[in-house]
Amino acid sequence: MDLSILAPVGAVVALLFAFFLSRRVMKADEGTDLMKKIAGAVRKGANAYLKRQYTGVAIFFAVMFVILLILAIAGFLTPFVPVAFLTGGFFSALSGFIGMKIATYANGRTANSASKSLNAGLRIAFSAGGVMGFVVVGLGLLDISIWYFFLKFWYSTVDVMQNEAAQVQAITSAMLTFGMGASSMALFARVGGGIFTKAADVGADLVGKVEAGIPEDDPRNPAVIADNVGDNVGDVAGMGADLYESYVGSIISTAALAVAAGLGFKGVVIPMSMAAIGILASIIGTFFVRTKENASQKNLLGSLRLGTWISAALIAVAAFPLIYFGLGAEKIGFYFAILSGLLAGILIGVVTEYYTSDSYKPTKKLAGTSSTGPATVIIGGLSLGMLSTVLPVVIVGASVLVSYFLSGGSDSYNNGLYGVGLSAVGMLATLGITLATDAYGPVADNAGGIAEMAHMGEEVRKRTDALDSLGNTTAATGKGFAIGSAALTALALIASYIAEIQVLKPDFNFNLTITNPPVLIGLFIGGVLPFLFAALTMDAVGRCAQKIVVEVRRQFREIKGLMTGEADPDYASCVDICTRSAQREMIAPAIVAVAAPIIVGLILGVNGVAGMLAGATVSGFILAVMMANSGGAWDNAKKYIESGEYGGKGSDNHKAAVVGDTVGDPFKDTSGPSINILIKLLSMVSIVFASVVLSFSLIK
Amino acid sequence: MDLSILAPVGAVVALLFAFFLSRRVMKADEGTDLMKKIAGAVRKGANAYLKRQYTGVAIFFAVMFVILLILAIAGFLTPFVPVAFLTGGFFSALSGFIGMKIATYANGRTANSASKSLNAGLRIAFSAGGVMGFVVVGLGLLDISIWYFFLKFWYSTVDVMQNEAAQVQAITSAMLTFGMGASSMALFARVGGGIFTKAADVGADLVGKVEAGIPEDDPRNPAVIADNVGDNVGDVAGMGADLYESYVGSIISTAALAVAAGLGFKGVVIPMSMAAIGILASIIGTFFVRTKENASQKNLLGSLRLGTWISAALIAVAAFPLIYFGLGAEKIGFYFAILSGLLAGILIGVVTEYYTSDSYKPTKKLAGTSSTGPATVIIGGLSLGMLSTVLPVVIVGASVLVSYFLSGGSDSYNNGLYGVGLSAVGMLATLGITLATDAYGPVADNAGGIAEMAHMGEEVRKRTDALDSLGNTTAATGKGFAIGSAALTALALIASYIAEIQVLKPDFNFNLTITNPPVLIGLFIGGVLPFLFAALTMDAVGRCAQKIVVEVRRQFREIKGLMTGEADPDYASCVDICTRSAQREMIAPAIVAVAAPIIVGLILGVNGVAGMLAGATVSGFILAVMMANSGGAWDNAKKYIESGEYGGKGSDNHKAAVVGDTVGDPFKDTSGPSINILIKLLSMVSIVFASVVLSFSLIK
């Protein structure tokens, strides 16, 4: 049975559904003129940022394209690679662009709908998130499908390969490289967006809340629009590009692992079909997301969860016949690999929620540390984050172990690795709805901002607050999901890297034992890269926030009547500062991520690169989970105090908690998520430059 | 030429020199009655702590002894192991005990001598540090020598082995296991002492400095004696036990690697002789540590550095004939391995100083972040710490690479590993004087405290401040040295672990490639252990500090006339709280460290354990460097502001910097250093339980 048609069908259905959702969003009323004006300002800022970002990224892609072209001409790469690199980047950018566009249209509309009912507000915000989710999976699968069919045609008609195995090898090898385009684009979107959003947020808070004593989202704060723009460019577009990359990466790396596992075209088609099944299941799941008026936060969260769980259950059911008929009854172990990934994704979400939601003990305890000042809040949050890394590691570890052995890894190593790849695909199969649930958060957050700025009244603000507060939880679980899937994808990519080397140089003498010094040193260097990356991105946020502070202070000082509400602040200047800074600050991390595998490769050779990839995946996974959870818990501990515990808003406890929240901002929204990209991009770059490293490395 | 006599000679010389130094300390006058009273109180507290700690530790050792005995009877271990375990623990405890004892005698004497001249103060403080340093190396090498000669006698006379290789194997294998005793003791000393010292420090500061507004070291603060006791039990005894363990571990693991490298007894004797040479060189070095009156901090630091560098130079010279004549001209590559370790130790010190001293840009910049409040201080300090991990990783990596390849690793893997072991020995050869320089710090710190409490006047306080401030720098570089040597030692121990498995089961089917799932999962689990450990120890400090806060508040409230100086606080109660808490809080981290390798081994097997050890070493090294350097930089940024920059003491900038310093306290003095022990103890436990794991593991 040829299942390959499933992928393009799934892709088109996803895009159509995204179109349907976007129509629903656009049909909603945007509200009063003031609301339109504010939403328009946010939209304008976001567009300006994206335009400048794409200009910068275009330069990077042009340079890389030329380098890849030269390497292709020199015979190190197939000619498809430079083009595949471009399409990977293009589709990733496009999905970010569309998702963010709709998000900026949905902000005001969500606020306005919330003035009618909670359910109406939820509907618009969730639909906007859904556009992001389904555009990501739709475009991702579309890109994969196009290349698959094109390459299959090419290698069976134009450049005919002798047998199926060789064909599959040539196809998957070329497809792998377009992942590097997606990864590079994701890096810029995540890092740039992350710096933008947190610099604006921190800058706005430091002067507005702390110095001037005006509330959050107050329209008198000149950085408030930049803050809202940041939510869109960072939390929506950045998150989308990140998961686009994981999604594509997991599918193509698993496809590439099918070669060594001897599964041929069938093995390539399975992950693509799984993705298609996931899309259909996710669409069905979205219809279960609705709520009653006056729903508690628990009900709201329950309704979002219900959608995800129904999707997961459908996938669990549908994956069985897929494997049974697609690969045969004797390969049914792969089904359990998929299940283990699916389950791991859900469990990581549960653990993340436990550590970051103020319904549970850890965050409540963290809120309590505010009684002895900011220092104990920081210590408590850091140790909470560190502690929270243990269970995700166990979950990912168990998932790898289960999928490897149930896929027959003890008999065939390559079957086991293919199983690990499938577990990553299984985890990401729910991406359509998971991302919808996740991208919903910043839309609701912004709706709250607009409600505040447009003075829409107590009741509306209460509703948007309910939506927003829930968004914090879904954002945290979404981050857990993003990093969990990044880790599994990175592991599949490492296996693909080694498989790629075996293809390029079948007699290469691997020594991947951990006591081989190049591997060991690679582990160390890989281990330190996430720390370097986190340091660079945190510093970037600090520098950029500093500029915002200076600018906001200047406006407070120089614009007469600003504090009394008689004059408008100059919002555009803050947006512009963030845009330019984020642009400039992206450069150093990008260079690290692209140069590290090449430099390490040229010195330590292939074994060293493999060590580096493993080290970066391990330490990156742990550090990213820690930073995301510390940040999430600080944020919610502050919100918990604001809800009236430990003295409430304005108390010394609250001030201490605000310090934690401010530290947590770059943790959870800049550095932590950026690490996801890093660990995948390192593998992608290693794969693309494998033949160069093979030829020129100092240690062979 | 039989060099084996060098080791016991070196050991005895070290102990004699330590005795000589201790006489010098004891001869000095302890000053006024008030000073004697204060110093006596500190001494009493420290003794009380040690007594209780040793009681607790005795229980642990008794339990472990019984377990090991049962395993020995069951045939899993040689009968020497349980006894060796005890002696390792005993000598480690003894060196901590002596070192701390002298330190507590030296505190008041240093303050009193400083009232005469700066040089006199330096002389006493440095001599006290020297006692710690030379007792550690003396007892360490003594223990090694005793076992070496005893086992050599045993296996050549009583239980005669067929050939040299078998003898060497049996000897080194038994010696390896007494490292576990030293490691276990070190764990309790470092973790317990670390919790004690920082709980007292943080607790004293939170109520005293922040709430009551009285200066540091003010005698009215009920926690002030506990704080001083903490410096002794944590920074002196804890540091000593840590490095005792690295010292012993590096020597015996290198000796064990000599077997596989085919070097026989000669290969065993080389690391022992290197240690002896290091002792003599260190003794010579100490005579160059002196200063002029009115010396600047730079001069003071210069004089301490001069001693270390002269020792290092002497070792570099003497190691050449050692290898040349000890192993033969064709093995001279090993000499370069020693050099690379020696150099790496010095370079890590330099990097640490760059990142943590306020003479350089990073800490100055960090001080500047205080202008925007505590949150930016925290972000700045964390990113500084993260950034500071890159160079140490490169240094250690380069050192491993150089020592491996120059030792002939490309021809003989085992020679290369022996070379890596020698580089660890080379790094630790300067330990006598390095530890003297390091343990000097807390003595000077306490002298300052006593000068303050005894109202000794401006001039004396200025001198002790000069000594103390320098102590901060040497403490930071000492920490860099401790973690650098721990990493190299841990690597040598991993190699020893694998060698041990090969001995136990020559046909064991290793699959240590990083893509083998048990190895990979081991890497993840190992990677997360330092984070877990850091979280547990930070939480412990937090909980214990909380109790101190409550107690100090109670005393301020209930003891009439305390704030006016008419009544004395109840110092003993704070000491008692810290003692009991530290005792209780040690248990969880100890269980993690001992149980993790056994549980991982029983599930994932030998390959999984090896992966775990590598993962823990990589992530532990990075995390420990980060925590030590963040903490050191925060401390010095605060001191920099106190020196008058950015508004000076009492300004908002200063308050923000104090938050950073408080967070840094458990970072640099509890969690960070504890990780050193963790990564070595994991290997030691793995080695001791290797045969159990081989027999019972789920995955073979």
Side-chain angles (χ1 to χ4, degrees):
Chain A
M1 188 159 84
D2 188 7
L3 298 164
S4 59
I5 194 66
L6 272 178
V9 169
V12 170
V13 170
L15 293 174
L16 287 175
F17 188 64
F19 182 71
F20 159 75
L21 290 176
S22 70
R23 295 276 302 204
R24 181 195 278 174
V25 171
M26 296 306 290
K27 264 197 303 200
D29 185 24
E30 205 171 5
T32 65
D33 283 348
L34 178 58
M35 289 169 68
K36 279 184 191 153
K37 188 185 139 195
I38 297 165
V42 173
R43 202 149 51 228
K44 207 178 120 197
N47 286 341
Y49 171 77
L50 273 203
K51 200 176 153 192
R52 198 190 289 247
Q53 183 181 63
Y54 289 150
T55 315
V57 168
I59 297 170
F60 172 84
F61 269 79
V63 172
M64 286 303 295
F65 180 77
V66 170
I67 294 173
L68 295 176
L69 203 62
I70 293 169
L71 290 173
I73 292 168
F76 287 107
L77 301 169
T78 68
F80 298 124
V81 171
V83 186
F85 174 73
L86 288 188
T87 68
F90 175 77
F91 279 107
S92 167
L94 187 62
S95 58
F97 178 78
I98 295 172
M100 205 204 70
K101 202 87 187 166
I102 294 297
T104 57
Y105 279 112
N107 297 334
R109 290 176 166 82
T110 301
N112 194 48
S113 303
S115 72
K116 288 170 206 143
S117 81
L118 186 63
N119 194 37
L122 173 69
R123 197 179 153 89
I124 296 299
F126 183 70
S127 296
V131 173
M132 178 86 250
F134 288 99
V135 163
V136 161
V137 295
L139 288 181
L141 202 51
L142 185 68
D143 194 15
I144 291 175
S145 302
I146 291 172
W147 276 101
Y148 174 74
F149 285 107
F150 167 72
L151 291 167
K152 198 175 171 190
F153 165 79
W154 184 268
Y155 286 118
S156 63
T157 316
V158 185
D159 179 12
V160 182
M161 292 274 169
Q162 69 269 40
N163 58 30
E164 182 180 322
Q167 267 186 39
V168 173
Q169 202 286 310
I171 291 171
T172 56
S173 186
M175 280 169 70
L176 257 185
T177 57
F178 80 67
M180 185 179 151
S183 290
S184 303
M185 185 59 228
L187 180 84
F188 291 110
R190 245 317 185 193
V191 175
I195 293 171
F196 187 119
T197 179
K198 287 305 125 174
D201 192 359
V202 171
D205 285 358
L206 280 177
V207 190
K209 279 207 291 202
V210 181
E211 287 182 18
I214 57 177
E216 199 160 343
D217 294 329
D218 191 293
R220 288 170 294 177
N221 192 326
V224 72
I225 293 288
D227 187 4
N228 283 326
V229 170
D231 289 343
N232 289 298
V233 302
D235 301 347
V236 179
M239 173 69 101
D242 179 354
L243 284 161
Y244 179 93
E245 199 230 337
S246 268
Y247 190 71
V248 167
S250 70
I251 297 170
I252 57 182
S253 61
T254 308
L257 292 170
V259 182
L263 297 169
F265 277 114
K266 281 183 182 171
V268 176
V269 169
I270 288 292
M272 291 163 62
S273 312
M274 262 310 298
I277 288 175
I279 286 173
L280 301 178
S282 292
I283 290 175
I284 296 171
T286 58
F287 292 105
F288 291 87
V289 179
R290 53 182 66 250
T291 189
K292 280 170 275 184
E293 194 55 18
N294 295 324
S296 69
Q297 204 190 317
K298 216 168 179 173
N299 291 139
L300 269 174
L301 187 59
S303 76
L304 285 176
R305 268 209 207 111
L306 184 67
T308 311
W309 288 1
I310 285 178
S311 306
L314 290 173
I315 292 167
V317 171
F320 188 85
L322 179 71
I323 301 294
Y324 192 88
F325 295 111
L327 290 175
E330 75 284 2
K331 303 275 187 201
I332 202 66
F334 290 129
Y335 169 68
F336 295 103
I338 292 171
L339 268 195
S340 86
L342 198 59
L343 191 65
I346 290 170
L347 286 179
I348 287 181
V350 172
V351 170
T352 311
E353 199 186 319
Y354 172 73
Y355 278 105
T356 60
S357 157
D358 61 11
S359 314
Y360 301 99
K361 214 178 117 193
T363 299
K364 279 186 185 159
K365 216 183 91 194
L366 179 60
T369 62
S370 62
S371 305
T372 34
T376 43
V377 171
I378 299 296
I379 294 176
L382 290 172
S383 90
L384 178 150
M386 287 179 173
L387 206 60
S388 76
T389 60
V390 176
L391 284 178
V393 160
V394 171
I395 292 168
V396 166
S399 167
V400 168
L401 207 62
V402 166
S403 51
Y404 179 81
F405 283 107
L406 292 186
S407 304
S410 44
D411 297 325
S412 157
Y413 182 59
N414 290 316
N415 273 340
L417 290 185
Y418 181 75
V420 174
L422 274 187
S423 74
V425 175
M427 186 185 276
L428 283 159
T430 57
L431 185 62
I433 187 158
T434 312
L435 192 48
T437 320
D438 192 357
Y440 143 94
V443 173
D445 187 358
N446 258 327
I450 290 173
E452 177 78 34
M453 283 189 270
H455 314 292
M456 289 178 67
E458 193 69 9
E459 181 66 14
V460 179
R461 179 76 216 199
K462 231 180 87 192
R463 289 195 192 124
T464 59
D465 269 359
L467 294 173
D468 176 21
S469 162
L470 176 61
N472 273 320
T473 304
T474 61
T477 53
K479 266 162 212 149
F481 184 80
I483 177 63
S485 64
L488 279 183
T489 303
L491 293 180
L493 285 170
I494 296 173
S496 303
Y497 171 68
I498 291 162
E500 182 73 16
I501 297 285
Q502 283 165 332
V503 169
L504 290 169
K505 197 173 174 189
D507 62 340
F508 181 77
N509 192 9
F510 280 106
N511 181 356
L512 292 173
T513 59
I514 46 170
T515 49
N516 182 25
V519 177
L520 191 61
I521 296 165
L523 279 174
F524 270 98
I525 293 175
V528 91
L529 286 177
F531 285 80
L532 171 60
F533 215 68
L536 290 176
T537 46
M538 281 203 293
D539 271 344
V541 170
R543 265 193 301 272
C544 181
Q546 206 63 45
K547 286 186 197 143
I548 293 292
V549 166
V550 171
E551 170 63 15
V552 173
R553 280 185 189 153
R554 183 194 68 77
Q555 292 200 21
F556 277 149
R557 203 174 49 236
E558 293 181 4
I559 300 180
K560 301 246 180 293
L562 178 54
M563 288 308 280
T564 53
E566 289 156 38
D568 279 343
D570 178 7
Y571 298 126
S573 75
C574 288
V575 173
D576 193 50
I577 289 171
C578 285
T579 302
R580 269 183 291 129
S581 296
Q583 203 56 31
R584 198 172 32 248
E585 299 285 1
M586 283 184 332
I587 299 171
I591 289 175
V592 167
V594 175
I598 302 175
I599 294 172
V600 168
L602 290 178
I603 296 171
L604 298 176
V606 167
N607 294 318
V609 171
M612 180 200 73
L613 296 178
T617 304
V618 169
S619 109
F621 176 64
I622 297 168
L623 190 60
V625 170
M626 179 205 149
M627 295 185 94
N629 290 351
S630 288
W634 274 320
D635 191 346
N636 283 329
K638 183 198 70 175
K639 288 216 160 66
Y640 185 65
I641 291 175
E642 285 173 353
S643 78
E645 304 285 333
Y646 295 109
K649 242 178 178 165
S651 64
D652 277 349
N653 287 51
H654 184 238
K655 276 182 199 136
V658 167
V659 172
D661 182 40
T662 310
V663 173
D665 271 340
F667 261 52
K668 70 177 171 26
D669 292 321
T670 311
S671 303
S674 300
I675 294 171
N676 301 355
I677 314 283
L678 174 73
I679 62 179
K680 291 171 286 179
L681 183 55
L682 289 174
S683 308
M684 290 291 185
V685 174
S686 302
I687 291 171
V688 170
F689 286 87
S691 55
V692 175
V693 164
L694 269 176
S695 303
F696 299 112
S697 72
L698 197 64
I699 298 173
K700 293 295 170 190
Chain B
M1 190 160 83
D2 188 6
L3 298 164
S4 59
I5 194 65
L6 272 178
V9 169
V12 171
V13 170
L15 292 173
L16 287 175
F17 188 65
F19 182 70
F20 159 77
L21 290 176
S22 70
R23 296 277 300 202
R24 182 196 276 175
V25 171
M26 297 306 290
K27 266 196 305 199
D29 185 23
E30 204 171 6
T32 65
D33 283 349
L34 178 58
M35 289 168 68
K36 279 182 192 152
K37 187 185 139 198
I38 296 166
V42 173
R43 200 149 53 229
K44 207 177 118 197
N47 287 340
Y49 172 77
L50 273 203
K51 201 174 151 191
R52 197 190 289 247
Q53 183 180 63
Y54 289 150
T55 316
V57 169
I59 297 170
F60 173 83
F61 269 79
V63 171
M64 285 303 295
F65 181 77
V66 171
I67 293 173
L68 294 177
L69 204 62
I70 293 169
L71 289 174
I73 292 167
F76 287 106
L77 300 170
T78 69
F80 299 124
V81 171
V83 185
F85 173 73
L86 287 188
T87 68
F90 175 76
F91 279 108
S92 167
L94 187 61
S95 58
F97 178 78
I98 296 173
M100 204 204 70
K101 202 89 187 163
I102 294 297
T104 58
Y105 280 112
N107 296 334
R109 290 174 166 84
T110 300
N112 194 49
S113 302
S115 72
K116 289 170 203 143
S117 80
L118 185 64
N119 194 36
L122 173 69
R123 200 177 150 91
I124 297 299
F126 183 71
S127 296
V131 173
M132 179 86 250
F134 288 99
V135 163
V136 162
V137 295
L139 288 181
L141 201 51
L142 186 67
D143 193 15
I144 291 175
S145 302
I146 292 172
W147 277 101
Y148 174 74
F149 285 106
F150 167 73
L151 291 167
K152 198 176 172 190
F153 164 78
W154 185 269
Y155 286 118
S156 62
T157 318
V158 185
D159 177 12
V160 183
M161 291 277 170
Q162 68 270 38
N163 58 29
E164 183 181 320
Q167 268 186 40
V168 173
Q169 202 286 310
I171 293 170
T172 56
S173 186
M175 281 170 69
L176 257 185
T177 59
F178 79 68
M180 185 178 150
S183 289
S184 305
M185 184 60 228
L187 181 83
F188 291 110
R190 247 315 187 193
V191 176
I195 293 172
F196 188 119
T197 179
K198 288 304 124 174
D201 192 356
V202 171
D205 285 357
L206 280 177
V207 191
K209 278 207 291 199
V210 181
E211 288 181 18
I214 56 177
E216 199 159 346
D217 293 330
D218 191 293
R220 289 169 295 177
N221 192 328
V224 72
I225 293 287
D227 186 7
N228 283 326
V229 170
D231 289 343
N232 288 297
V233 302
D235 301 346
V236 179
M239 172 69 103
D242 179 355
L243 285 161
Y244 179 93
E245 199 231 337
S246 268
Y247 190 70
V248 167
S250 70
I251 296 170
I252 57 182
S253 61
T254 308
L257 292 172
V259 181
L263 297 168
F265 277 114
K266 281 183 183 171
V268 176
V269 169
I270 288 292
M272 292 163 63
S273 311
M274 261 311 298
I277 288 176
I279 286 173
L280 302 178
S282 292
I283 292 175
I284 297 171
T286 59
F287 293 104
F288 291 87
V289 179
R290 52 181 66 252
T291 187
K292 280 170 276 183
E293 193 55 21
N294 295 323
S296 69
Q297 204 192 317
K298 214 166 181 174
N299 291 139
L300 269 174
L301 188 60
S303 77
L304 285 175
R305 266 208 209 115
L306 184 67
T308 311
W309 288 1
I310 283 176
S311 305
L314 290 173
I315 292 167
V317 171
F320 188 85
L322 179 72
I323 299 295
Y324 192 87
F325 296 111
L327 290 174
E330 75 284 3
K331 304 272 188 202
I332 203 65
F334 290 129
Y335 170 67
F336 295 103
I338 293 171
L339 269 196
S340 85
L342 199 59
L343 191 64
I346 291 170
L347 286 179
I348 287 181
V350 171
V351 170
T352 311
E353 200 187 316
Y354 172 73
Y355 277 106
T356 58
S357 157
D358 61 11
S359 315
Y360 301 98
K361 213 178 117 193
T363 299
K364 281 186 185 160
K365 215 183 91 193
L366 179 59
T369 61
S370 62
S371 305
T372 34
T376 43
V377 170
I378 299 297
I379 294 176
L382 290 172
S383 89
L384 178 150
M386 287 179 173
L387 205 60
S388 76
T389 61
V390 176
L391 283 177
V393 160
V394 171
I395 292 168
V396 166
S399 167
V400 168
L401 206 64
V402 166
S403 52
Y404 180 82
F405 283 106
L406 292 186
S407 304
S410 43
D411 297 326
S412 157
Y413 181 59
N414 291 316
N415 273 339
L417 290 184
Y418 182 75
V420 174
L422 274 186
S423 74
V425 175
M427 185 186 276
L428 283 158
T430 58
L431 185 63
I433 187 158
T434 312
L435 192 47
T437 320
D438 192 358
Y440 142 95
V443 174
D445 186 0
N446 257 327
I450 290 173
E452 177 78 34
M453 283 187 270
H455 314 293
M456 290 177 68
E458 192 69 9
E459 181 66 13
V460 179
R461 180 76 216 200
K462 231 179 88 189
R463 287 194 192 126
T464 59
D465 270 358
L467 293 173
D468 176 21
S469 162
L470 177 60
N472 274 319
T473 304
T474 63
T477 53
K479 265 161 214 151
F481 184 79
I483 177 63
S485 64
L488 279 182
T489 303
L491 293 181
L493 286 169
I494 296 173
S496 303
Y497 171 69
I498 292 163
E500 183 73 15
I501 296 286
Q502 283 165 332
V503 169
L504 289 169
K505 196 172 177 190
D507 62 342
F508 180 77
N509 192 8
F510 280 104
N511 181 356
L512 293 173
T513 58
I514 46 170
T515 48
N516 183 25
V519 176
L520 191 61
I521 296 165
L523 279 174
F524 270 98
I525 293 175
V528 91
L529 286 176
F531 285 80
L532 171 60
F533 214 69
L536 290 175
T537 47
M538 282 204 292
D539 270 344
V541 170
R543 266 192 300 272
C544 181
Q546 205 64 44
K547 285 186 196 143
I548 293 292
V549 166
V550 172
E551 170 64 15
V552 172
R553 280 186 188 153
R554 184 194 67 78
Q555 292 200 21
F556 277 150
R557 202 175 49 235
E558 293 181 5
I559 300 179
K560 299 244 180 295
L562 177 55
M563 287 308 283
T564 54
E566 288 156 37
D568 278 343
D570 177 8
Y571 298 126
S573 75
C574 288
V575 173
D576 193 51
I577 288 171
C578 285
T579 302
R580 271 184 290 129
S581 295
Q583 203 57 30
R584 198 172 33 247
E585 298 285 3
M586 281 184 333
I587 299 171
I591 290 175
V592 168
V594 175
I598 301 175
I599 294 172
V600 168
L602 291 178
I603 297 171
L604 298 177
V606 167
N607 294 319
V609 171
M612 180 202 72
L613 297 178
T617 304
V618 168
S619 109
F621 177 65
I622 297 168
L623 189 61
V625 169
M626 179 203 147
M627 295 184 96
N629 290 351
S630 288
W634 274 320
D635 192 347
N636 282 330
K638 183 198 70 176
K639 287 214 161 67
Y640 185 65
I641 291 175
E642 284 173 353
S643 77
E645 303 285 335
Y646 296 109
K649 243 178 177 164
S651 63
D652 277 347
N653 287 52
H654 184 239
K655 277 180 199 138
V658 167
V659 172
D661 182 39
T662 310
V663 173
D665 271 341
F667 260 52
K668 70 178 171 21
D669 292 321
T670 312
S671 304
S674 300
I675 295 171
N676 302 354
I677 314 283
L678 174 73
I679 62 179
K680 290 171 286 180
L681 184 55
L682 289 174
S683 309
M684 290 291 186
V685 174
S686 303
I687 290 171
V688 170
F689 286 87
S691 53
V692 175
V693 164
L694 269 176
S695 303
F696 299 112
S697 71
L698 196 66
I699 299 173
K700 294 291 169 192

